[in-house]
Amino acid sequence: MVLKFFVGGNWKMNGDKKSLGDLITTLNTASLNDETEVVCGAPTVYLDFARSNLDARMGVAAQNCYKVAKGAFTGEISPVMIKDCGVEWVILGHSERRHVFGESDELIGQKVAHALESGLGVIACIGEKLEEREAGTTEEVVYAQTQAIADNVKDWSKVVLAYEPVWAIGTGKTASPEQAQEVHEKLREWMRVNVSEAVADSVRIIYGGSVTGANCKELGSQNDVDGFLVGGASLKPEFVDIINARA
């Protein structure tokens, strides 16, 4: 079963109205593969701007949200607010949230549950650090992270799972196509055993970690790689080439 290819751009804490406006113009005027679902993760303050200016064929995602609808949580945003900007997706559990901001598997699970209950689609991120890969615990780590997410999902049709080895994010080191395929295949097998056959066959598992215009075609040709979550390159014109990796 060939799943609809999914390419997310995570702009992280980058850009201003001028540079993001230029990027949006590039995307709006580009010839994009109709068979690929595209979602751009904008900084919170630019969610409205991105959704108002980006062509409707592309989705917009928030890069994070909190686990409740409203309240005394200074600096946080809720799924309700995200939806009020016309935005339908949120990225949760990104390694920078885990390792820079100290978010636990448990908190990420709670956020996933609340975002889904609120009607947002979730790009849920998992991935091991370099020392974990070197210690041979990659599977253990990503299965535990996936379990904390799976425990909080009732409807998998609104979830995209993003495998991002932390050692490959922003480092220029990319997991080889074989390494990416191996983890994705094992994750799908884990889903088969721990969630269901149907979900294992239908959930999109995308790869993130130094994806570029140069390596996207080979990565995207792997059986169990159903798309990408792109960091740095999503701010450049080559993002168009990545969107069209399967064209």
Side-chain angles (χ1 to χ4, degrees):
M1 176 179 178
V2 179
L3 304 176
K4 183 160 185 163
F5 207 63
F6 184 102
V7 176
N10 181 6
W11 297 345
K12 304 191 180 181
M13 196 177 74
N14 292 298
D16 50 27
K17 283 187 179 173
K18 168 78 177 75
S19 64
L20 295 178
D22 290 346
L23 176 63
I24 287 168
T25 301
T26 299
L27 293 172
N28 286 349
T29 54
S31 171
L32 304 179
N33 184 359
D34 291 340
E35 298 301 304
T36 299
E37 185 169 1
V38 182
V39 174
C40 294
T44 303
V45 292
Y46 299 130
L47 283 174
D48 223 331
F49 174 79
R51 185 59 288 167
S52 303
N53 291 283
L54 201 60
D55 194 288
R57 64 190 165 151
M58 289 171 272
V60 176
Q63 297 174 14
N64 188 32
C65 69
Y66 199 49
K67 61 180 181 179
V68 293
K70 61 178 184 179
F73 303 103
T74 302
E76 290 290 339
I77 61 167
S78 69
V80 181
M81 294 171 174
I82 293 167
K83 289 189 74 176
D84 196 37
C85 293
V87 171
E88 293 297 330
W89 287 90
V90 63
I91 300 169
L92 292 172
H94 191 280
S95 67
E96 288 149 10
R97 298 304 316 171
R98 294 175 186 272
H99 305 305
V100 181
F101 299 101
E103 294 189 6
S104 65
D105 286 354
E106 184 189 15
L107 175 60
I108 291 158
Q110 292 166 340
K111 289 182 174 195
V112 167
H114 181 61
L116 290 170
E117 282 159 12
S118 305
L120 285 179
V122 172
I123 301 167
C125 305
I126 55 174
E128 81 285 6
K129 294 192 282 198
L130 182 60
E131 57 267 32
E132 291 164 338
R133 177 164 277 267
E134 287 174 345
T137 59
T138 293
E139 287 162 54
E140 207 179 302
V141 170
V142 297
Y143 293 164
Q145 291 172 344
T146 308
Q147 183 73 63
I149 292 162
D151 288 343
N152 289 282
V153 177
K154 294 188 184 81
D155 177 7
W156 281 92
S157 69
K158 304 276 291 198
V159 180
V160 173
L161 203 55
Y163 167 61
E164 297 199 304
V166 182
W167 48 272
I169 297 173
T171 58
K173 285 183 189 170
T174 314
S176 68
E178 295 73 25
Q179 284 173 319
Q181 168 58 21
E182 184 189 9
V183 176
H184 283 227
E185 193 177 351
K186 285 177 173 168
L187 274 168
R188 207 175 292 286
E189 198 46 50
W190 184 93
M191 301 291 276
R192 209 173 292 290
V193 173
N194 295 280
V195 183
S196 76
E197 195 84 30
V199 168
D201 288 339
S202 63
V203 72
R204 290 174 291 183
I205 305 176
I206 64 176
Y207 171 78
S210 300
V211 177
T212 64
N215 62 26
C216 63
K217 275 203 177 334
E218 201 186 349
L219 281 163
S221 68
Q222 303 301 309
N223 277 347
D224 290 289
V225 175
D226 305 312
F228 306 115
L229 186 56
V230 186
S234 71
L235 292 158
K236 301 172 185 165
E238 72 183 287
F239 189 48
V240 172
D241 299 329
I242 298 171
I243 292 168
N244 293 332
R246 282 263 181 99

